[in-house]
Amino acid sequence: MLGMAIFLASSLVSVWLLAIAIVAMQNAEPVTLWFLTFQSVPIPFGFVFACSVVIGLLAGGLWQIVFPANSKKKTRRPPNRDRV
């Protein structure tokens, strides 16, 4: 089961890398980012897209560390009917 999870995770990352490569090749012109009054130097769109994906993956990973999914389900035990 762990092997399948690793395979799916690596497949997801490889699909993202392929998408980044395709978008970067189609949009090779530089873009300028603005935040409030600050302006960045012109950088290629593919680099901006790749950085956005990496930041999103890191944020998702940190989210799972900070707020782990509750994998232990609370089961309710039936009452012991042998005891009188």
Side-chain angles (χ1 to χ4, degrees), residues 15-57:
V15 167
W16 267 111
L17 289 175
L18 181 65
I20 290 171
I22 290 171
V23 169
M25 293 302 290
Q26 291 178 350
N27 300 306
E29 62 187 48
V31 294
T32 304
L33 300 177
W34 286 84
F35 179 72
L36 299 176
T37 60
F38 303 105
Q39 179 182 2
S40 72
V41 296
I43 49 180
F45 178 75
F47 183 72
V48 173
F49 187 59
C51 288
S52 300
V53 169
V54 167
I55 290 170
L57 287 173

